[in-house]
Amino acid sequence: MNAEKRYEIFRRLREDNPEPRTELAYSSPFELLIAVILSAQATDVGVNKATARLYPVANTPQAILDLGVEGLSDYIKTIGLYNSKAKNVIETCRQLIERHGGEVPDDREALEALPGVGRKTANVVLNTAFRHPVMAVDTHIFRVSNRTRLAPGKNVVEVERKLMKVVPKEFLLDAHHWLILHGRYVCQARKPRCGSCRIEDLCEYPDKTSDD
């Protein structure tokens, strides 16, 4: 795919959604961090339902730490893998208090050192909470990048590196959100909605579908 096509893809995505936002509900970097940890192999809708009950009761590292694993589990048991997630969240809260003064670090290495926080989660927090121009590649972005030929790669790290190279700088800050939303609602896994896709004419996917 050439640079002109890539530019036009993001120009249209921006035109349709000038200020894209994550669908996870949060009001602080800490709330976002916990929501992203909980969102692994879960839907944003499911996470939001759980945090809508949790955050009014506990939305700081100390408050969640005080709940303990069992107390936290009661709030998040509707989310997949909630037992291991509860343990990770409690330990993350402990480390935030002991190592970072209760604040979420604005630093990839420090974020990735927290339990339950991998590269993707760190990138989401850096981009969404701290507005770093980084790319968090999830299954949606991986699929869209490969299917459209925007930034094909064999794994998420390869796709991330390619996107960081080829996405025009003026779009980089919000590209993560545009691509996720496009993958979630248009370029879906089982049957992409090519007939109603805003960038169908720019996409290089050979097996385009109709919306029938």
Side-chain angles (χ1 to χ4, degrees):
M1 181 176 286
N2 62 39
E4 289 76 16
K5 270 190 182 179
R6 290 192 187 100
Y7 186 92
E8 181 61 14
I9 283 173
F10 285 104
R11 190 200 66 76
R12 290 185 196 177
L13 294 175
R14 180 175 65 184
E15 184 176 69
D16 291 352
N17 187 3
E19 295 185 357
R21 295 287 180 263
T22 177
E23 292 185 316
L24 289 170
Y26 74 99
S27 60
S28 69
F30 176 72
E31 287 188 2
L32 177 66
L33 172 64
I34 300 308
V36 180
I37 292 173
L38 296 177
S39 72
Q41 297 178 47
T43 65
D44 288 0
V45 171
V47 172
N48 288 342
K49 283 181 181 175
T51 57
R53 293 177 60 238
L54 171 65
Y55 288 159
V57 175
N59 70 341
T60 66
Q62 189 63 58
I64 289 183
L65 186 60
D66 289 344
L67 289 175
V69 173
E70 286 188 18
L72 176 58
S73 294
D74 284 341
Y75 287 98
I76 66 169
K77 60 190 175 187
T78 54
I79 299 173
L81 308 173
Y82 73 91
N83 274 320
S84 61
K85 288 177 182 178
K87 289 172 187 171
N88 282 337
V89 167
I90 291 295
E91 189 54 34
T92 282
C93 290
R94 190 188 317 280
Q95 290 189 23
L96 287 175
I97 292 164
E98 291 175 356
R99 301 179 188 177
H100 304 288
E103 298 294 323
V104 176
D106 181 2
D107 174 80
R108 176 194 301 285
E109 193 174 340
L111 283 167
E112 288 190 30
L114 297 169
V117 177
R119 185 177 183 88
K120 185 191 80 173
T121 296
N123 278 340
V124 171
V125 173
L126 289 170
N127 178 260
T128 304
F130 299 117
R131 303 304 281 153
H132 288 217
V134 294
M135 189 70 60
V137 178
D138 69 349
T139 54
H140 295 301
I141 293 181
F142 183 77
R143 179 176 67 255
V144 170
S145 297
N146 276 289
R147 190 181 268 166
T148 62
R149 310 306 290 169
L150 175 67
K154 293 176 184 170
N155 56 59
V156 292
V157 175
E158 193 177 327
V159 168
E160 178 190 330
R161 286 178 181 149
K162 282 196 178 178
L163 285 169
M164 291 299 292
K165 272 188 194 173
V166 303
V167 174
K169 282 189 178 176
E170 71 178 274
F171 302 114
L172 197 52
L173 197 58
D174 290 316
H176 158 77
H177 293 303
W178 286 317
L179 292 175
I180 281 181
L181 294 170
H182 190 69
R184 189 172 286 165
Y185 296 110
V186 182
C187 196
Q188 296 168 334
R190 291 187 180 177
K191 188 183 178 186
R193 298 176 56 223
C194 300
S196 54
C197 176
R198 184 80 158 85
I199 59 170
E200 183 190 10
D201 58 314
L202 304 167
C203 170
E204 296 180 3
Y205 182 50
D207 302 315
K208 289 178 183 168
T209 66
S210 68
D211 279 354
D212 300 333

